[in-house]
Amino acid sequence: MSEPRPGGRRDRVTDLGQRQFSPAAAAVLSERYLRRDEHGRIVESPEEMFDRVATFVAGVEDGFQPGSSTQWAPQFSSLLRSLEFLPNSPTLMNAGTRLGVLSGCFVLPLEDSLPSIFRTLGQTALLHQAGAGTGYTFGHLRPAGDLVASTGGTASGPLSFLRLFDTAADVIQQGGRRRGASIAVLDVSHPDVFDFAAAKEATTGDLRHFNLSVAVTDAFLRAVTHNRTHRLVNPRTERTVAEVPAADLFDTICTAAHRSGDPGLLFLDTVNRANPLRERIEATNPCGEVPLLPYESCNLGSVNLALLTRDGEVDWDRLAEVVRLAVRFLDDVIDVSRYPFPELADAAQATRKIGLGVMGLADLLADLGIPYDSEPGVRLAGRIAQHIQHIAHAESAALAVTRGRYPRAADSRFASTRHLRNAQVTSVAPTGTLSLIAGTSSGIEPLFALAYERRVLGRRVLEINRGFERLARERGCYSDELIADIAHRGGVRGNRHVPEDLRAAFPTALEIAPEWHLRVQAAVQRHVDAAVSKTVNLPESATATDIRDLYLTAWRYSLKGITVYRYGSKEDQALSFATHEPGLSRTDIGSTGGCAGCACEF
């Protein structure tokens, strides 16, 4: 094992017994992840949890080569114990247990009938009980006020059923280990799109289990930029019911996002140009990083970039080793997972989609002294994504040789060029809870702040980025006054008592101009099969016009989706600057960035 270099982090930690989790991470592990006996007592340590997961997943290997699980289980366990890679939460929670649902997220169909709606609601309950997230398009439901021929009455519309699903998620949460997270997508041509866009700003606390996203097309956005009209179409009759100024509808969407953080945008045409199959995708998983067909699922996992540096550089060789092993692990998860109803199993096996992503990008850049909001930062982010995709595709291709291509490969638009085991291999998730466990920054997000309050299991704790604190002590600029100032302001960009290079290396989400958020996302998206979950954090002073400009820029950058969050636009946001109230505890861990108000905990 390499020694820590001066001022840097240890390259790899393989002995978890010597690792001390932060109080917040330990609390989350104990409350949600570690197994308990019938009396509610914890019966495994984090190390034993990783061993349980590794052994269970490696069992699949015996089906391809008898006895080989004894070779792969230790390798999987070492990978997880090192925290260089972690799979999505349901895999950690459920592998080797009675629940057995290991996929992080599913997309379920919603057709325009009560039997379909309530069947999907029942399926949702089973998935939320197991800790998985769900995504839906509500665009097939007839609009409010539309005719119901069987009764002579009128339809209540998508929003009424959206609230029903949100209430059900709240009920399931009471008996589950974490909040059920979902996304509701509505097509921009649906007659109820104005009400949908404003749904979260109308009532405080409403739809708290849902992220909202409007699915927009290139044609709509061209109509916005050229001041043309846009047709609203009844999905039941397929008839145009109104024509509205496209810019007015777009302004309604942007104003709602300014006030509440929702809705985001799903760029539907960009998504489907990259879709390997010919069926049109209409929805995604809860945080938008995996566009999926009905009943499809995705096993997510993230490489911890913060642990993959050596001598002031990215350890490219070790990164490749981690990626290869992670792809094999995620492919095995598809076969060992349980599926509560047969449609899920059939869809998972048909395309075998996995989503290998990253966490800790911001910590890696800070460790290397590269500002997140800089040309070198953007270039390195893109280079890392390209390296991961290249190695991940090569490993999936190698698995295809020994195990076969995914069953629907012959139907793929890329059938002649991509000979892979998995229809999609890479994706970038937000990694909220996983990065908390790993003690690093989330996904490709910048640091939210160098000191901030986090809500953890009903408590508020003060988190201080330990990488910054360590370097501040080494550089002689650490003081209680400095930490107090950071806790109030979030960052150090304007603090002349901090050396200039340190200020540059540790920018926070609100100190970074929105354009840099989008440029990093675009650099990564160019080398990702599925999509990238990324939030553009905005200061409280940002305007609806700022959001309008960001949404249009994201479309021009060929992103597959965009989410913005204006600081303070949710009363119960997950992350906030410290208030120094009595009783606030402190925990020293790597900070997680990202959306302070997201409904998801993945």
Side-chain angles (χ1 to χ4, degrees):
M1 183 185 303
S2 61
E3 292 300 317
R5 63 182 179 84
R9 66 178 67 246
R10 172 169 288 177
D11 295 315
R12 295 191 287 277
V13 179
T14 55
D15 185 358
L16 196 68
Q18 297 177 5
R19 173 180 287 274
Q20 183 177 1
F21 289 100
S22 72
V28 168
L29 283 167
S30 298
E31 184 73 19
R32 297 177 178 166
Y33 290 82
L34 303 182
R35 284 195 310 115
R36 295 172 179 267
D37 63 16
E38 64 273 15
H39 304 293
R41 294 174 300 212
I42 294 174
V43 294
E44 69 178 358
S45 66
E47 297 95 326
E48 290 167 333
M49 174 189 72
F50 293 135
D51 292 345
R52 163 175 56 82
V53 173
T55 301
F56 186 70
V57 172
V60 172
E61 296 284 343
D62 289 336
F64 299 107
Q65 183 178 349
S68 62
S69 64
T70 58
Q71 170 193 348
W72 291 106
Q75 294 189 54
F76 288 163
S77 181
S78 178
L79 181 67
L80 301 180
R81 281 172 169 250
S82 73
L83 301 183
E84 292 173 316
F85 165 81
L86 289 177
N88 52 216
S89 290
T91 300
L92 294 177
M93 291 175 174
N94 300 333
T97 72
R98 178 181 55 83
L99 286 173
V101 175
L102 307 189
S103 296
C105 46
F106 299 81
V107 161
L108 299 179
L110 270 177
E111 300 302 328
D112 189 35
S113 71
L114 284 179
S116 170
I117 292 168
F118 280 91
R119 181 170 183 261
T120 297
L121 184 61
Q123 294 171 338
T124 297
L126 294 176
L127 294 174
H128 283 190
Q129 183 185 42
T134 47
Y136 325 82
T137 175
F138 281 75
H140 297 288
L141 304 188
R142 68 191 70 188
D146 195 37
L147 176 68
V148 179
S150 61
T151 64
T154 57
S156 56
L159 274 177
S160 63
F161 291 107
L162 175 54
R163 293 190 174 96
L164 173 66
F165 275 64
D166 186 65
T167 300
D170 198 57
V171 172
I172 297 299
Q173 177 191 355
Q174 307 309 314
R177 286 175 288 182
R178 65 175 185 168
R179 181 168 66 174
S182 297
I183 192 169
V185 177
L186 193 73
D187 191 273
V188 73
S189 295
H190 195 284
D192 289 357
V193 66
F194 282 92
D195 292 336
F196 177 84
K200 277 204 176 182
E201 61 174 317
T203 307
T204 302
D206 198 16
L207 304 178
R208 68 191 187 96
H209 296 282
F210 272 87
N211 292 325
L212 305 183
S213 192
V214 175
V216 296
T217 60
D218 293 344
F220 169 72
L221 292 170
R222 285 194 292 268
V224 170
T225 57
H226 291 89
N227 292 314
R228 296 199 292 258
T229 59
H230 172 68
R231 295 188 305 126
L232 301 181
V233 179
N234 185 325
R236 179 180 65 85
T237 64
E238 298 184 352
R239 294 177 180 173
T240 299
V241 298
E243 287 199 20
V244 300
D248 288 355
L249 173 52
F250 195 58
D251 287 345
T252 296
I253 293 169
C254 296
T255 298
H258 175 262
R259 292 176 178 171
S260 68
D262 285 282
L265 296 186
L266 174 64
F267 299 111
L268 213 54
D269 291 330
T270 306
V271 164
N272 280 286
R273 280 191 287 269
N275 177 17
L277 300 179
R278 301 181 191 280
E279 296 97 324
R280 190 163 176 81
I281 286 177
E282 298 177 305
T284 74
N285 73 320
C287 293
E289 72 272 17
V290 190
L292 296 168
L293 294 167
Y295 293 118
E296 279 192 318
S297 57
C298 194
N299 301 306
L300 304 173
S302 299
V303 175
N304 187 352
L305 297 176
L307 296 178
L308 296 173
T309 62
R310 182 189 294 274
D311 300 326
E313 301 285 346
V314 176
D315 189 342
W316 299 104
D317 291 339
R318 179 56 186 167
L319 176 57
E321 293 172 10
V322 170
V323 168
R324 280 191 286 266
L325 195 52
V327 167
R328 189 182 196 99
F329 178 97
L330 292 174
D331 186 66
D332 284 350
V333 167
I334 295 171
D335 295 320
V336 77
S337 179
R338 295 178 188 170
Y339 301 92
F341 35 98
E343 295 93 336
L344 297 180
D346 293 343
Q349 292 288 345
T351 55
R352 302 192 66 85
K353 289 183 177 178
I354 60 175
L356 179 64
V358 299
M359 55 184 164
L361 174 65
D363 280 331
L364 176 141
L365 292 173
D367 190 40
L368 300 181
I370 300 174
Y372 187 99
D373 51 344
S374 69
E375 294 292 347
V378 173
R379 285 197 301 269
L380 183 56
R383 184 183 173 194
I384 289 171
Q386 183 180 37
H387 186 71
I388 289 174
Q389 186 179 50
H390 174 72
I391 299 300
H393 278 203
E395 181 63 18
S396 182
L399 291 174
V401 171
T402 59
R403 301 180 177 186
R405 300 169 71 185
Y406 61 95
R408 293 202 60 190
D411 302 330
S412 170
R413 294 189 291 118
F414 311 124
S416 62
T417 57
R418 295 184 187 175
H419 299 273
L420 304 178
R421 173 72 168 162
N422 316 95
Q424 290 181 328
V425 183
T426 53
S427 171
V428 177
T431 71
T433 308
L434 292 184
S435 54
L436 174 64
I437 293 171
T440 193
S441 54
S442 65
I444 63 164
E445 301 286 1
L447 303 173
F448 172 73
L450 302 184
Y452 57 88
E453 292 178 9
R454 176 196 288 274
R455 288 186 290 107
V456 179
L457 302 176
R459 303 194 304 273
R460 289 184 303 124
V461 296
L462 175 62
E463 295 192 356
I464 299 174
N465 183 277
R466 63 185 178 191
F468 174 81
E469 181 175 3
R470 182 186 65 249
L471 290 175
R473 289 183 184 277
E474 292 176 359
R475 301 288 293 276
C477 62
Y478 179 89
S479 68
D480 291 341
E481 291 77 14
L482 174 63
I483 297 303
D485 182 72
I486 295 172
H488 177 67
R489 301 176 185 274
V492 295
R493 275 280 170 98
N495 193 319
R496 60 183 178 83
H497 299 294
V498 177
E500 184 177 356
D501 62 328
L502 203 56
R503 278 181 274 160
F506 283 90
T508 62
L510 296 180
E511 293 173 332
I512 294 172
E515 175 75 7
W516 290 106
H517 284 266
L518 292 183
R519 290 189 63 188
V520 170
Q521 184 175 350
V524 173
Q525 179 65 81
R526 281 193 288 272
H527 306 290
V528 168
D529 297 336
V532 175
S533 177
K534 171 80 180 71
T535 298
V536 179
N537 291 92
L538 299 172
E540 196 168 359
S541 60
T543 67
T545 300
D546 294 331
I547 292 174
R548 187 183 195 276
D549 292 342
L550 284 170
Y551 278 179
L552 290 174
T553 301
W555 170 54
R556 296 185 182 111
Y557 277 0
S558 296
L559 300 183
K560 294 179 181 176
I562 182 173
T563 302
V564 301
Y565 183 72
R566 183 176 62 88
Y567 184 83
S569 56
K570 285 183 180 9
E571 290 184 359
D572 60 344
Q573 65 184 34
L575 309 177
S576 60
F577 298 138
T579 58
H580 309 293
E581 294 181 7
L584 189 64
S585 59
R586 166 182 165 172
T587 176
D588 300 307
I589 71 168
S591 66
T592 60
C595 177
C598 181
C600 305
E601 300 177 345
F602 292 82

